């Protein structure tokens, strides 16, 4: 019995979703007019969203099985298939990617003026790569997409980034590549152990000896931990986020860093359940360190964008904590928080980009009194501030609460420690808000004659609105989103609980009692 | 009974309309939306109250909020006798303060914003009160904190206001840290967040313990103490009281509504709501009582020497909230709610009265620059007198009945109770002193402000004075629903009304004891009054002399026991320092050092290696020869 449901629609919906941006990118090659380039890119990203939309309607929420599956032989001699499909864990990320891609094009309308065509080609190929990662069910295909994302992102930072862009781009590339290489080794090992298949589902249902699990877990962990990023391999993130152009930061924070957490869910946990339990303690401790450490670093930041970048380290710590709590609430909270973080931090980077276009400074001390200068902007930003610190009624609350609940349930002390992150979060975010928006404007800034800055315009409001709708939608009625995950998460937890290989249990139990 | 969901929804609509359209369209007409909304809520609240009084409690789930595995929480409302009283208090005072604000905030640039936040506050407070489960209460709990943040920092261009708003929110987060964990622990213990289910099953888990860091802790005690953390933050009890006095940076109607009458009493309401849990834990009850008693006297001592009119009232609020917790801790829940209810009226009146004064003096808050206002502002003066008679516990005013009930219940509650009764009575002496001191400094004697201010002195317009007079009715008469049974049988209507939810406090004393307790509190009320009268009207040089004679004590009190400085030195500064020096240093030098070190190392190595590439054929020939020989050598060796 195979755990898949083939695509029932009369067209290949997932293939269209993934490759439509590629078609768009190819089309852009032939367009010269800058404005036409922008419109074409916008059209394709929007079209992509609508092409994917029937997925939501036809998705069967009652099963954990892969749906809308397309499978055909690709390189039969190596057992490689073109094999794609989605389940309750990946479906929401398809839409997160699609929405953030649209917004990335919109927010770059005025701010990107050099190499406009190339910029949009990069955005569209990046979108395809990200979507590919979420749908791939064959390791070869997966790895292809995984690495393919790197190139456009590298270019986005290196070509359209800020002053220190080349350093940041290379750092981002090397960091990620170093992790990915180990994953590649892991994939090769899996290929040979399994007797020559790269089918992710088949590999997930196999059982591996404990030692092998541990080594493979570590190999994959290297790739995913860098992507998340977890402490202490997080230092590429502040540089990359800060130097990237707005669209790049939005996609980085919104989708790219979710890939690591997604990898844990899709590969590490179902394939190496014993190793996951074995390494649980260290992973949870690293998550807690990330939460507290990431928050504390924020207090010392002088750069607006860098502060938000570091806050991602803290928030991603929450996410890995939730996932590795290994219970329904923790995992669902973690997945939801991945979505939430994409929405909130994505929107924050959009807004920072918007204000940067006007002030040309990211130094917090240059700001002050902006609530009076740009009241609508300030109003939008305060909503994000409170969503970020998990105020009930916003999406941040639902995610953080479920995560802390899950962690508390798994091991009380982790829930308690994680909750301290909520106090710290309120501290640095409100302090940031005060310095930027309250009190009087910085006299130096006023003297520089760059006043008055204009408030949000219609295009910018339209760019932001979808994300704000989601902030409150998830805050007040998260079930719309949670419903998609229930079956898949339940299945994952079950898989985890059936300790796969006899004899491994004792080793794990012994190890765990030694740690705690 | 779905119409009662409109009680919170009406203010919420007012918020939405004002915040979205206020800036460009509604502007200074914002009250035309906000006031009808809150009046509507009030009328519905009255209707709900009548329903409940008729024996029809309302408990409905509206929709399923969060579902994840076995975790399931709804948005739902419970209107029983306790929440019905709270609804009346919140909506009636809100209505009066909204009307007052029309006059008080007139001409302010952010008029629409003010009414928007105020409406959002009322919505949040009503959710807090009406929730039928812990998580929804938490929603309201955090949301009122949000509104408090907005309204304290309403004049955000002032650094002090922006600082105070931030401080309030963050200090409250410390309390909510515990509250949130308590809520989680409740679900894990009972498998539900629903009040009815939790309270119904509470008895079954009494005595169970849980392992916490190697110690066995009573589960119920732990839950109660965690919940109480939240109350300590929100209701500004020691040691988290520091935010409330600073919160006076907000406009005065805000101080009256949020930081005196309603929001800060949320902690009292919450503990009363959870009485089936607290009743099971003596440790938790005693903690509540002690924290309350200590806060009552602690805050009262600070109030003795403050010179800012609003800060005196703020410390008075902290102190009065202490009384309420004292009552909760000795099991006199209905007495606590009774005091909450009377306090809401007289304290709102004190704040709005001081607002009227500040308004007349063009934002002067220092009492040393006031004086003699009696003849310019007769209405304000007289309502102030009524509120003071009430708060100091002069017989037959509201405060007398509720405070007396608390002290009497404390007196009956064993040795700890007797001690707390003593603290409470002592605090009542201090209350009388600082309250009358405020009156004499502000309204009597000679005017000590500038000549220009004196020329503009005037009574406030009716839109301000009418709400004052209405509140004065409450300050005088609100307490008449709780007359002690020794004066009138079934006089304690509020206690009997609340008995089904809160129980009726046990313990009977003799009439002689009851008269003794009552006599003592009347005695201290009058004594405090006389001392203040002597010091501030008759021998006005006395305060100076006393201050000089007891310099260290005076300074200690004036500087609020240096608690702010203590927190700054032990929590705020170390966090910022750790962040700046240790954490950022670790990130920049250690981690980045390693990350950048590896490429540097490789670079250095390859720079060395590069030197072999000389470009000279003879060098390459030599190296090839060496290489060939080595290979042959190795081959021979291995063979």
């Amino acid at each position: 019995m195979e755990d898949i449901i083939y695509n029932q629609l009369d067209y290949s919906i997932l293939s269209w979703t993934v490759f439509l941006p590629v078609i768009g990118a190819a089309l852009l090659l032939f367009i010269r007019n800058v404005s036409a380039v922008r419109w074409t890119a916008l059209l394709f990203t929007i079209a992509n969203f609508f092409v994917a939309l029937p997925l939501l309607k036809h998705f069967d929420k009652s099963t954990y099985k892969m749906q809308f599956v397309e499978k055909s032989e690709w390189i039969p001699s190596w057992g490689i298939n073109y094999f794609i499909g989605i389940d309750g864990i990946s479906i929401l990320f398809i839409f997160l990617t699609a929405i953030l891609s649209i917004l990335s094009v919109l927010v770059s309308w005025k701010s990107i003026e050099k190499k406009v065509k190339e910029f949009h080609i990069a955005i569209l190929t990046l979108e395809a790569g990200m979507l590919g990662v979420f749908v791939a069910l064959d390791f070869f295909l997966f790895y292809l997409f995984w690495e393919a994302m790197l190139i456009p992102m590298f270019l986005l930072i290196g070509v359209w980034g800020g002053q220190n862009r080349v350093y940041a781009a290379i750092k981002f590339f090397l960091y990620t590549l170093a992790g990915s290489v180990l994953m590649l080794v892991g994939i090769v090992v899996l290929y040979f152990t399994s007797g020559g298949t790269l089918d992710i589902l088949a590999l997930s249902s196999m059982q591996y000896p404990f030692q092998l699990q541990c080594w493979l877990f570590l190999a994959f962990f290297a790739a995913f931990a860098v992507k998340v990023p977890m402490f202490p391999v997080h230092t590429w993130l502040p540089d990359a986020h800060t130097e990237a152009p707005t669209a790049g930061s939005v996609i980085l924070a919104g989708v790219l860093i979710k890939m690591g957490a997604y990898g844990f869910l899709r590969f590490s946990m179902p394939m190496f359940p014993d190793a996951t339990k074995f390494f649980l303690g260290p992973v949870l401790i690293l998550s807690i360190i990330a939460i507290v450490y990431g928050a504390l670093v924020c207090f010392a930041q002088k750069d607006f964008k860098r502060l938000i970048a570091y806050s991602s380290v803290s928030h991603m710590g929450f996410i890995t904590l939730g996932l590795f709590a290994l219970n329904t609430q923790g995992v669902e909270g973690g997945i939801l928080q991945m979505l939430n973080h994409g929405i909130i931090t994505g929107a924050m980077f959009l807004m920072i980009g918007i204000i940067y276009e006007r002030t040309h400074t990211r130094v917090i001390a240059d700001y002050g009194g902006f609530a009076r200068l740009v009241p609508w902007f300030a109003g939008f930003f305060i909503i994000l501030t409170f969503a970020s610190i998990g105020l009930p009624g916003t999406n941040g609350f639902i995610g953080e609460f479920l995560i802390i609940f899950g962690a508390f349930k798994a091991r009380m002390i982790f829930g308690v420690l994680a909750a301290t992150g909520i106090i710290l979060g309120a501290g640095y975010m409100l302090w940031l808000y005060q310095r930027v928006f309250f009190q009087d404007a910085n006299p130096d800034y006023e003297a520089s004659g760059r006043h008055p800055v204009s408030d949000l315009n219609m295009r910018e409001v339209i760019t932001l609105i979808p994300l704000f709708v989601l902030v409150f939608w998830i805050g007040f009625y998260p079930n719309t989103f949670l419903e998609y995950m229930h079956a898949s998460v339940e299945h994952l937890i079950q898989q985890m609980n059936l300790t796969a290989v006899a004899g491994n249990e004792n080793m794990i139990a012994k190890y765990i009692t030694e740690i705690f | 009974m779905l119409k009662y969901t409109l009680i919170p929804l009406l203010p919420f609509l007012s918020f939405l309309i004002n915040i979205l359209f206020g800036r460009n369209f509604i502007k200074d007409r914002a009250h035309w939306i906000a006031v009808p909304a809150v009046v509507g809520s009030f009328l519905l609240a009255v209707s709900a109250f009548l329903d409940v009084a008729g024996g029809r409690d309302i408990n409905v789930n509206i929709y399923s909020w969060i579902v994840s595995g076995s975790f399931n929480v709804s948005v739902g409302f419970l209107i029983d006798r306790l929440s019905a009283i709270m609804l009346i208090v919140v909506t009636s005072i809100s209505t009066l303060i909204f009307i007052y604000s029309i006059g008080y905030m007139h001409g302010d640039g952010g008029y629409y914003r003010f009414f928007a936040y105020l409406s959002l506050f009322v919505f949040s407070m009503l959710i807090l009160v009406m929730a039928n489960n812990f998580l929804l209460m938490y929603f309201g709990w955090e949301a009122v904190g949000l509104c408090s943040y907005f309204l304290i920092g309403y004049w955000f261009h002032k650094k002090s206001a922006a600082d105070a708003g931030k401080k309030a929110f963050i200090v409250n987060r410390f309390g909510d840290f515990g509250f949130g964990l308590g809520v989680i622990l409740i679900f894990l213990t009972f498998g539900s967040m629903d009040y009815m289910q939790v309270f119904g099953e509470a008895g079954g888990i009494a005595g169970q313990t849980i392992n916490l860091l190697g110690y066995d802790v009573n589960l119920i005690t732990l839950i109660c103490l965690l919940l109480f953390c939240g109350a300590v933050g929100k209701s500004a009890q020691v040691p988290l009281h520091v935010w409330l006095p600073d919160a006076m940076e907000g406009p005065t109607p805000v101080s009256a509504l949020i930081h005196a009458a309603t929001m800060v009493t949320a902690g009292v309401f919450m503990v009363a709501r959870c009485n089936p849990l607290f009743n099971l834990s003596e440790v938790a009850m005693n903690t509540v009582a002690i924290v309350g008693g200590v806060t009552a006297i602690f805050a009262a001592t600070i109030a003795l020497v403050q010179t800012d009119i609003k800060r005196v009232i703020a410390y008075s609020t902290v102190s009065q909230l202490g009384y309420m917790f004292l009552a909760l801790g000795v099991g006199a829940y209905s007495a606590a709610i009774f005091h909450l209810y009377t306090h809401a009226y007289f304290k709102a009146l004190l704040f709005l009265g001081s607002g009227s004064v500040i308004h007349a003096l063009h934002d002067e808050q220092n009492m040393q620059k006031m004086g003699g206002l009696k003849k310019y502002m007769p209405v304000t003066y007289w309502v102030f007198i009524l509120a003071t008679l009430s708060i100091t516990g002069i017989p037959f005013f509201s405060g007398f009945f509720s405070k007396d009930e608390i002290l009497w219940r404390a007196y009956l509650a064993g040795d700890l109770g007797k001690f707390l009764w003593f603290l409470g009575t002592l605090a009542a002496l201090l209350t009388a002193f600082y309250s009358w001191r405020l009156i004499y400094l502000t309204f009597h004697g000679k005017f000590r402000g500038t000549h220009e201010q004196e020329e503009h002195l005037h009574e406030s317009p009716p839109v301000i004075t009418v709400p004052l007079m209405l509140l004065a009715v409450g300050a005088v008469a609100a307490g008449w629903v709780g007359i002690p049974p020794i004066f009138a049988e079934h006089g304690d209507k509020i206690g009997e009304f609340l008995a089904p939810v809160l129980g009726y406090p046990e313990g009977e004393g003799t009439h002689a004891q009851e008269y003794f307790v009552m006599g003592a509190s009347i005695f201290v009320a009058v004594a405090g009054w006389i001392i203040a009268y002597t010091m501030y009207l008759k021998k006005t040089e006395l305060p100076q002399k006393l201050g000089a004679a007891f310099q260290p004590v005076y300074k200690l009190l004036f500087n609020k026991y240096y608690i702010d400085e203590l927190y700054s030195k032990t929590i705020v500064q170390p966090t910022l320092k750790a962040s700046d020096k240790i954490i950022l240093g670790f990130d920049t030098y250690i981690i980045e050092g390693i990350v950048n070190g590896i490429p540097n190392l490789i670079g250095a190595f390859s720079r060395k290696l590069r030197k072999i590439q000389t470009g000279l054929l003879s060098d390459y020939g030599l190296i090839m020869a060496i290489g060939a020989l080595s290979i042959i050598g190795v081959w021979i060796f291995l063979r």
Side-chain angles (χ1 to χ4, degrees), chain A residues 240-317:
Chain A
H241 278 59
T242 312
E243 296 303 327
T246 302
S249 310
V250 170
I251 291 180
L252 254 181
V255 187
L256 232 67
I257 61 175
K258 306 300 170 332
M259 301 285 181
Y262 176 75
F264 287 136
L265 285 167
R266 179 65 76 226
F267 308 111
S268 303
M269 291 181 186
M271 288 184 188
F272 323 122
D274 302 326
T276 304
K277 284 180 197 156
F278 184 74
F279 289 112
L280 200 57
V283 175
L284 289 175
I285 289 168
L286 284 180
S287 305
I288 295 286
I289 294 179
I291 292 174
V292 176
Y293 182 94
L296 283 176
V297 185
C298 286
F299 283 99
Q301 296 307 315
K302 298 180 172 54
D303 180 312
F304 203 156
K305 208 171 172 185
R306 212 176 165 81
L307 194 156
I308 303 300
Y310 264 114
S311 79
S312 291
V313 175
S314 184
H315 286 139
M316 293 309 288

Side-chain angles (χ1 to χ4, degrees), chain A residues 412-467:
Chain A
M412 210 186 252
I413 184 72
F414 288 123
V416 175
L417 290 173
T420 59
I422 288 185
I423 302 177
L424 292 170
Y428 66 76
M429 283 311 294
L430 292 184
W431 192 35
L432 169 72
Y433 196 85
Q434 178 179 4
R435 285 180 292 169
V436 173
F437 293 97
F438 290 161
Q439 300 173 25
D440 290 321
N442 182 320
D444 294 341
Y445 178 74
E446 255 179 334
S448 71
R450 279 178 288 192
H451 272 295
V453 283
S454 52
D455 211 337
L456 294 174
N457 61 36
M458 205 34 107
R459 171 179 58 85
E460 290 159 345
V461 172
I462 291 171
T463 313
L464 291 170
I465 286 286
L467 297 177

Side-chain angles (χ1 to χ4, degrees), chain B residues 270-315:
Chain B
M270 187 266 286
V271 174
R273 173 57 87 204
C274 300
N275 72 81
L277 293 176
F278 280 84
N279 279 337
L280 295 173
S281 168
E282 207 186 323
V283 178
M285 288 295 267
N286 288 344
T287 311
V288 174
I290 291 168
V291 168
V294 167
T295 305
I297 187 107
F298 174 84
T301 55
I302 299 177
L304 297 177
V305 296
Q306 299 301 311
T307 52
D308 182 316
I309 185 168
K310 279 177 75 181
R311 278 187 185 251
V312 173
I313 308 176
Y315 278 107

Side-chain angles (χ1 to χ4, degrees), chain B residues 378-445:
Chain B
V379 179
T380 307
Y381 173 69
W382 282 109
V383 296
F384 233 111
I385 292 284
L386 292 176
T388 302
L389 290 169
S390 189
I391 190 178
T392 55
I394 297 300
F396 310 113
F397 290 89
S398 292
F400 167 75
F401 293 109
S402 54
K403 197 190 278 186
D404 187 61
E405 176 73 8
I406 290 175
L407 292 173
W408 171 232
R409 290 295 158 195
Y411 186 84
L412 291 179
D415 289 340
L416 178 65
K418 287 258 190 346
F419 172 66
L420 292 170
W421 163 77
F422 177 72
L423 281 187
T425 309
L426 194 60
L429 174 71
L430 304 180
T431 307
F433 174 78
Y434 67 68
S435 300
W436 288 107
R437 170 178 174 264
L438 186 153
I439 295 268
Y440 294 135
L441 280 177
T442 310
F443 293 100
H444 291 255

Side-chain angles (χ1 to χ4, degrees), chain B residues 281-507:
Chain B
S281 168
E282 207 186 323
V283 178
M285 288 295 267
N286 288 344
T287 311
V288 174
I290 291 168
V291 168
V294 167
T295 305
I297 187 107
F298 174 84
T301 55
I302 299 177
L304 297 177
V305 296
Q306 299 301 311
T307 52
D308 182 316
I309 185 168
K310 279 177 75 181
R311 278 187 185 251
V312 173
I313 308 176
Y315 278 107
S316 158
T317 306
V318 175
S319 172
Q320 295 298 315
L321 289 165
Y323 274 105
M324 296 177 210
F325 282 103
L326 197 168
L328 295 170
V330 298
Y333 300 104
S334 54
I337 296 296
F338 184 28
H339 197 55
L340 183 162
Y341 152 78
T342 58
H343 174 258
Y345 291 95
F346 62 71
K347 189 51 65 67
L349 180 53
L350 285 173
F351 267 119
L352 294 186
S354 74
S356 175
V357 168
I358 294 165
H359 203 61
L361 290 171
H362 297 281
D363 300 328
E364 179 58 67
Q365 299 191 188
N366 189 342
M367 294 191 296
Q368 282 167 339
K369 296 183 179 156
M370 297 179 185
L373 297 181
K374 182 176 150 188
K375 65 176 179 227
Y376 303 103
M377 315 182 70
V379 179
T380 307
Y381 173 69
W382 282 109
V383 296
F384 233 111
I385 292 284
L386 292 176
T388 302
L389 290 169
S390 189
I391 190 178
T392 55
I394 297 300
F396 310 113
F397 290 89
S398 292
F400 167 75
F401 293 109
S402 54
K403 197 190 278 186
D404 187 61
E405 176 73 8
I406 290 175
L407 292 173
W408 171 232
R409 290 295 158 195
Y411 186 84
L412 291 179
D415 289 340
L416 178 65
K418 287 258 190 346
F419 172 66
L420 292 170
W421 163 77
F422 177 72
L423 281 187
T425 309
L426 194 60
L429 174 71
L430 304 180
T431 307
F433 174 78
Y434 67 68
S435 300
W436 288 107
R437 170 178 174 264
L438 186 153
I439 295 268
Y440 294 135
L441 280 177
T442 310
F443 293 100
H444 291 255
K446 273 211 189 94
F447 185 67
R448 297 179 293 274
T450 62
H451 186 66
E452 200 196 336
Q453 277 176 328
E454 192 167 9
E455 293 212 326
H456 290 104
L457 279 179
H458 58 90
E459 182 57 279
S460 298
V463 69
I464 286 181
T465 52
V466 169
L468 289 182
M469 290 188 268
L470 289 172
L471 280 171
V473 174
V476 173
W480 295 350
V481 298
I483 295 163
I486 52 166
F487 289 151
E489 203 158 339
H490 294 297
D492 187 11
K493 292 203 171 51
I494 187 163
E496 286 169 13
F497 180 76
L498 285 169
V501 189
L502 301 179
Y504 206 79
E506 290 162 27

Side-chain angles (χ1 to χ4, degrees), chain A residues 70 102 135 450:
Chain A
E70 295 167 34
I102 301 173
V135 301
R450 279 178 288 192

